[in-house]
Amino acid sequence: MVLPPRVLDTNVLGRLRLGPRGELDVFASIAALEAAHSDDLAAGAALVRTATGALSRWRMNREGQWDRFAAANTACCRAAMDARDSVNPEALVAGTLWPVREVYEPLSTPDGAVIEMEVAEQALLMEPLVDLFIAERLSSVREAVATIHAAASTGRPVWVGLAVSLDEPTALEGGEPVAEAVAAIAAAGPDAILVNARTADSAGPAVEALMRASVPRADLLRGVVADAFDRWPNGAVEEHTPRAFVQYARRWMETGVHLMAADQGASAEHVAAMRGLIATEWK
């Protein structure tokens, strides 16, 4: 039986006040994190992502927070878990992993052995508090495969999100065509592959390439996570209201995606709008 697509949560980090360099003061934000997760769940999100993407070992060391690495990751996982248990116990909690170095900068990606070591440390820390892992914003096949291997070593399912280029959305940030990258990454054994698009408009070509890709598993989930605005060459940003974003989500749904989310710039109202779309139009 073909099931309707599931709506994921928004990017709760984008809805919280950050520090002067964009860092999150986790311990001052736990209540706000839990409230944001709760809002998304109440709106119909089937999964919430922990606010741990920016809490890798390398980033925590850079911010002089090396001694808070374990406590910060654990606190964020507990905030998501407590919200889930309170609002919708059937929802999933995904431990969020970002690139171990700079996001959207494939040239900064270290060797696979370094990726596996650093991802495994963070994933093993979160494993008791999450249902699965979602590794987001990965720019190349090499980075994705190493991350999958490390996260899968915990025994939890692994979902992987691939960062697509703003200039050429049918290719990853590292230059590899989406369809070819998906075929190669699927062989590493993830349970889901999603495209991460930094504009709602660019998500369309990326989703089409994702759905065309040849994969070895019929049960591999595919999806899209797109920011709820478009960026223009002159630096302007066009925000998409929930009603406007649903127009994009409708087209993704028509391609057959299993998972979809409005990410940065979105609110719980975007989640509710997509849930309404599925309830009224999915066939």
Side-chain angles (χ1 to χ4, degrees), residues 183-206:
I185 292 166
D191 296 273
I193 299 179
L194 304 91
V195 291
N196 293 147
R198 283 183 282 169
T199 70
D201 191 57
S202 67

Side-chain angles (χ1 to χ4, degrees), residues 63-156:
E63 299 298 332
Q65 301 284 319
W66 60 270
D67 56 336
R68 307 179 96 184
F69 170 71
N73 277 277
T74 299
C76 285
C77 290
R78 290 194 181 281
M81 185 173 61
D82 289 348
R84 185 272 306 276
D85 292 347
S86 175
V87 179
N88 179 11
E90 295 185 0
L92 298 173
V93 173
T96 304
L97 302 164
W98 282 1
V100 298
R101 296 295 181 268
E102 298 292 355
V103 177
Y104 304 127
E105 293 187 15
L107 293 179
S108 73
T109 305
D111 292 341
V114 174
I115 296 172
E116 291 196 31
M117 178 181 66
E118 295 186 18
V119 169
E121 180 188 22
Q122 189 177 13
L124 287 167
L125 181 64
M126 294 191 287
E127 182 273 330
L129 302 171
V130 301
D131 300 302
L132 59 96
F133 288 100
I134 182 165
E136 300 183 309
R137 309 181 186 191
L138 305 179
S139 296
S140 69
V141 171
R142 179 172 65 86
E143 183 177 42
V145 169
T147 302
I148 291 166
H149 288 165
S153 69
T154 66
R156 296 292 188 189

